[in-house]
Amino acid sequence: MKELKHIDLSSNRLAGQLPVQFGQLRMLSRALLNRNQLTGPIPESITCMDRLADLDLSMNRISGPIPEKIGKLRVLSTLNLDSNLITGQIPATLLRSGMGILNLSRNSLEGNIPDVFGPNSYFMALDLSFNKLKGPIPGSLSSAKYIGHLDMSHNHLCGAIPVGSPFDHLEASSFASNDCLCGNPLRTC
Protein backbone atom coordinates (compact mmCIF):
# COMPACT_ATOMS: atom_id res chain seq x y z
CA MET A 1 0.00 0.00 0.00
CA LYS A 2 2.92 2.41 0.49
CA GLU A 3 3.27 2.74 -3.31
CA LEU A 4 -0.41 3.71 -3.76
CA LYS A 5 -0.69 6.91 -5.85
CA HIS A 6 -4.43 7.41 -6.26
CA ILE A 7 -7.38 6.47 -4.10
CA ASP A 8 -11.04 7.12 -4.92
CA LEU A 9 -13.46 5.82 -2.29
CA SER A 10 -16.11 8.49 -2.75
CA SER A 11 -19.82 7.75 -2.26
CA ASN A 12 -19.30 4.43 -0.47
CA ARG A 13 -20.92 5.04 2.94
CA LEU A 14 -17.58 4.50 4.65
CA ALA A 15 -17.86 5.20 8.37
CA GLY A 16 -15.41 5.78 11.21
CA GLN A 17 -12.30 7.89 11.49
CA LEU A 18 -9.50 8.29 9.00
CA PRO A 19 -6.60 6.22 10.36
CA VAL A 20 -3.90 8.16 12.21
CA GLN A 21 -1.39 6.43 9.89
CA PHE A 22 -3.07 7.75 6.72
CA GLY A 23 -0.06 10.01 6.13
CA GLN A 24 2.19 6.99 5.72
CA LEU A 25 0.86 6.70 2.16
CA ARG A 26 3.70 8.99 1.07
CA MET A 27 3.32 8.34 -2.68
CA LEU A 28 -0.36 9.32 -2.69
CA SER A 29 -1.10 12.27 -4.97
CA ARG A 30 -4.89 12.07 -5.00
CA ALA A 31 -7.24 11.12 -2.15
CA LEU A 32 -10.97 11.32 -2.93
CA LEU A 33 -12.95 10.30 0.14
CA ASN A 34 -15.96 12.59 -0.27
CA ARG A 35 -19.63 11.67 0.24
CA ASN A 36 -19.10 9.14 3.00
CA GLN A 37 -19.80 9.09 6.73
CA LEU A 38 -16.27 9.68 7.99
CA THR A 39 -15.97 11.21 11.46
CA GLY A 40 -13.27 12.54 13.75
CA PRO A 41 -10.42 14.91 13.00
CA ILE A 42 -8.24 15.29 9.93
CA PRO A 43 -5.15 13.22 10.85
CA GLU A 44 -2.06 15.37 11.43
CA SER A 45 -0.09 12.75 9.47
CA ILE A 46 -1.65 14.09 6.24
CA THR A 47 0.75 17.03 6.55
CA CYS A 48 3.63 14.61 5.79
CA MET A 49 2.27 13.62 2.37
CA ASP A 50 4.64 15.62 0.16
CA ARG A 51 3.12 14.42 -3.13
CA LEU A 52 -0.53 15.07 -2.21
CA ALA A 53 -2.05 17.35 -4.86
CA ASP A 54 -5.80 16.69 -4.47
CA LEU A 55 -7.59 16.03 -1.16
CA ASP A 56 -11.39 15.79 -1.08
CA LEU A 57 -13.00 15.05 2.29
CA SER A 58 -16.22 16.93 1.54
CA MET A 59 -19.68 15.81 2.64
CA ASN A 60 -18.62 13.74 5.62
CA ARG A 61 -18.80 14.41 9.35
CA ILE A 62 -15.15 15.39 9.83
CA SER A 63 -14.73 17.50 12.97
CA GLY A 64 -12.06 19.46 14.79
CA PRO A 65 -9.67 22.05 13.36
CA ILE A 66 -7.82 22.09 10.04
CA PRO A 67 -4.16 21.16 10.70
CA GLU A 68 -2.00 24.30 10.34
CA LYS A 69 0.69 22.49 8.33
CA ILE A 70 -1.71 21.31 5.61
CA GLY A 71 -1.21 24.64 3.86
CA LYS A 72 2.53 23.98 3.68
CA LEU A 73 2.15 20.94 1.43
CA ARG A 74 4.11 22.02 -1.66
CA VAL A 75 1.99 20.48 -4.42
CA LEU A 76 -1.48 20.59 -2.84
CA SER A 77 -3.64 22.33 -5.45
CA THR A 78 -7.17 21.24 -4.48
CA LEU A 79 -8.48 21.04 -0.93
CA ASN A 80 -12.20 20.37 -0.60
CA LEU A 81 -13.50 20.19 2.98
CA ASP A 82 -17.03 21.52 2.47
CA SER A 83 -20.10 20.20 4.30
CA ASN A 84 -18.42 18.84 7.42
CA LEU A 85 -18.34 19.79 11.11
CA ILE A 86 -14.94 21.49 11.04
CA THR A 87 -14.34 24.10 13.74
CA GLY A 88 -11.64 26.58 14.71
CA GLN A 89 -10.02 29.22 12.55
CA ILE A 90 -8.76 29.15 8.97
CA PRO A 91 -5.00 28.48 9.04
CA ALA A 92 -3.13 31.41 7.48
CA THR A 93 -0.93 28.93 5.57
CA LEU A 94 -3.93 27.91 3.41
CA LEU A 95 -4.48 31.44 2.12
CA ARG A 96 -0.84 32.38 1.63
CA SER A 97 -0.27 29.45 -0.70
CA GLY A 98 -0.64 29.02 -4.41
CA MET A 99 -3.53 26.57 -4.10
CA GLY A 100 -5.91 26.41 -7.06
CA ILE A 101 -9.18 25.36 -5.39
CA LEU A 102 -9.98 25.80 -1.70
CA ASN A 103 -13.50 24.97 -0.54
CA LEU A 104 -14.13 25.33 3.20
CA SER A 105 -17.86 26.11 2.91
CA ARG A 106 -20.62 24.73 5.11
CA ASN A 107 -18.61 24.17 8.28
CA SER A 108 -18.38 25.98 11.62
CA LEU A 109 -15.17 27.93 11.04
CA GLU A 110 -14.97 31.14 13.06
CA GLY A 111 -12.78 34.14 13.71
CA ASN A 112 -11.42 36.62 11.20
CA ILE A 113 -10.23 35.64 7.72
CA PRO A 114 -6.40 35.87 7.95
CA ASP A 115 -5.09 38.99 6.20
CA VAL A 116 -2.19 37.16 4.53
CA PHE A 117 -2.95 37.14 0.81
CA GLY A 118 -0.09 38.16 -1.46
CA PRO A 119 1.37 37.85 -4.94
CA ASN A 120 1.68 34.05 -4.56
CA SER A 121 -2.00 33.64 -3.64
CA TYR A 122 -3.72 32.03 -6.63
CA PHE A 123 -7.24 30.62 -6.44
CA MET A 124 -9.42 29.49 -9.31
CA ALA A 125 -12.08 29.04 -6.60
CA LEU A 126 -12.10 30.20 -2.97
CA ASP A 127 -15.30 29.30 -1.11
CA LEU A 128 -15.64 30.31 2.54
CA SER A 129 -19.45 30.54 2.57
CA PHE A 130 -21.81 29.24 5.26
CA ASN A 131 -19.45 29.50 8.23
CA LYS A 132 -19.23 31.75 11.30
CA LEU A 133 -16.47 34.03 10.02
CA LYS A 134 -16.49 37.62 11.32
CA GLY A 135 -14.65 40.89 10.89
CA PRO A 136 -13.73 42.63 7.64
CA ILE A 137 -12.80 41.16 4.27
CA PRO A 138 -8.96 41.22 4.25
CA GLY A 139 -7.57 44.13 2.23
CA SER A 140 -4.61 41.96 1.19
CA LEU A 141 -7.00 39.95 -1.00
CA SER A 142 -6.57 42.72 -3.59
CA SER A 143 -2.87 41.82 -3.88
CA ALA A 144 -3.57 38.17 -4.78
CA LYS A 145 -2.16 37.04 -8.12
CA TYR A 146 -5.56 35.69 -9.19
CA ILE A 147 -8.98 34.98 -7.67
CA GLY A 148 -11.53 33.46 -10.05
CA HIS A 149 -14.65 32.47 -8.12
CA LEU A 150 -14.99 33.91 -4.59
CA ASP A 151 -17.84 33.18 -2.18
CA MET A 152 -17.92 34.72 1.32
CA SER A 153 -21.70 34.67 1.71
CA HIS A 154 -23.60 33.54 4.81
CA ASN A 155 -21.09 34.56 7.47
CA HIS A 156 -20.86 37.43 9.98
CA LEU A 157 -18.52 39.67 7.97
CA CYS A 158 -18.74 43.42 8.40
CA GLY A 159 -17.23 46.54 6.83
CA ALA A 160 -16.45 47.86 3.37
CA ILE A 161 -15.76 45.46 0.51
CA PRO A 162 -12.27 46.32 -0.82
CA VAL A 163 -11.99 48.04 -4.20
CA GLY A 164 -10.21 46.64 -7.27
CA SER A 165 -9.48 43.13 -8.43
CA PRO A 166 -10.97 40.57 -7.76
CA PHE A 167 -13.90 42.52 -6.30
CA ASP A 168 -14.67 44.42 -9.51
CA HIS A 169 -15.95 41.30 -11.29
CA LEU A 170 -17.93 39.66 -8.46
CA GLU A 171 -21.70 39.49 -8.03
CA ALA A 172 -23.65 40.53 -4.93
CA SER A 173 -24.34 36.82 -4.22
CA SER A 174 -20.64 36.39 -3.32
CA PHE A 175 -21.22 38.59 -0.24
CA ALA A 176 -24.94 38.00 0.56
CA SER A 177 -26.26 37.29 4.07
CA ASN A 178 -23.48 38.84 6.14
CA ASP A 179 -23.99 41.11 9.14
CA CYS A 180 -22.97 44.49 7.72
CA LEU A 181 -20.92 44.35 4.53
CA CYS A 182 -21.24 47.33 2.22
CA GLY A 183 -19.72 48.71 -0.96
CA ASN A 184 -19.79 47.56 -4.57
CA PRO A 185 -21.55 45.24 -5.52
CA LEU A 186 -23.71 45.68 -2.38
CA ARG A 187 -25.26 48.89 -1.04
CA THR A 188 -23.10 51.99 -0.63
CA CYS A 189 -21.31 52.38 2.73
Side-chain angles (χ1 to χ4, degrees):
M1 293 284 286
K2 288 187 178 183
E3 298 299 316
L4 191 65
K5 293 180 180 160
H6 177 93
I7 186 169
D8 185 350
L9 296 172
S10 24
S11 303
N12 276 299
R13 296 186 188 161
L14 296 175
Q17 294 189 13
L18 282 172
V20 175
Q21 309 89 337
F22 190 73
Q24 291 178 3
L25 298 173
R26 291 283 181 97
M27 300 300 288
L28 201 64
S29 65
R30 198 160 195 225
L32 307 178
L33 300 165
N34 53 309
R35 296 179 187 267
N36 283 296
Q37 297 165 13
L38 299 172
T39 58
I42 298 170
E44 190 74 31
S45 65
I46 283 180
T47 64
C48 299
M49 300 171 79
D50 294 332
R51 295 176 185 226
L52 190 62
D54 188 357
L55 177 60
D56 191 345
L57 297 174
S58 63
M59 296 184 212
N60 279 291
R61 287 185 246 152
I62 304 286
S63 59
I66 300 169
E68 176 77 27
K69 292 180 182 175
I70 208 165
K72 293 182 179 180
L73 290 172
R74 290 178 290 138
V75 297
L76 187 64
S77 61
T78 301
L79 179 60
N80 195 348
L81 300 176
D82 81 271
S83 304
N84 277 292
L85 305 170
I86 297 171
T87 57
Q89 298 190 351
I90 298 172
T93 54
L94 284 179
L95 303 179
R96 217 180 272 134
S97 68
M99 192 173 301
I101 298 172
L102 178 60
N103 188 346
L104 303 178
S105 66
R106 300 181 187 278
N107 281 290
S108 292
L109 294 166
E110 54 193 9
N112 290 6
I113 300 168
D115 195 5
V116 295
F117 295 90
N120 290 331
S121 300
Y122 182 97
F123 295 96
M124 291 182 291
L126 175 59
D127 194 341
L128 306 177
S129 63
F130 291 93
N131 278 291
K132 299 175 182 176
L133 300 170
K134 62 180 184 177
I137 294 174
S140 65
L141 197 53
S142 296
S143 67
K145 184 175 186 177
Y146 178 78
I147 306 281
H149 171 76
L150 176 67
D151 193 345
M152 296 183 165
S153 65
H154 297 88
N155 279 292
H156 301 290
L157 301 174
C158 196
I161 296 171
V163 178
S165 182
F167 304 101
D168 52 7
H169 73 270
L170 297 172
E171 308 261 333
S173 60
S174 294
F175 307 103
S177 298
N178 275 289
D179 289 352
C180 54
L181 281 179
C182 60
N184 190 35
L186 300 178
R187 62 179 171 75
T188 308
C189 294

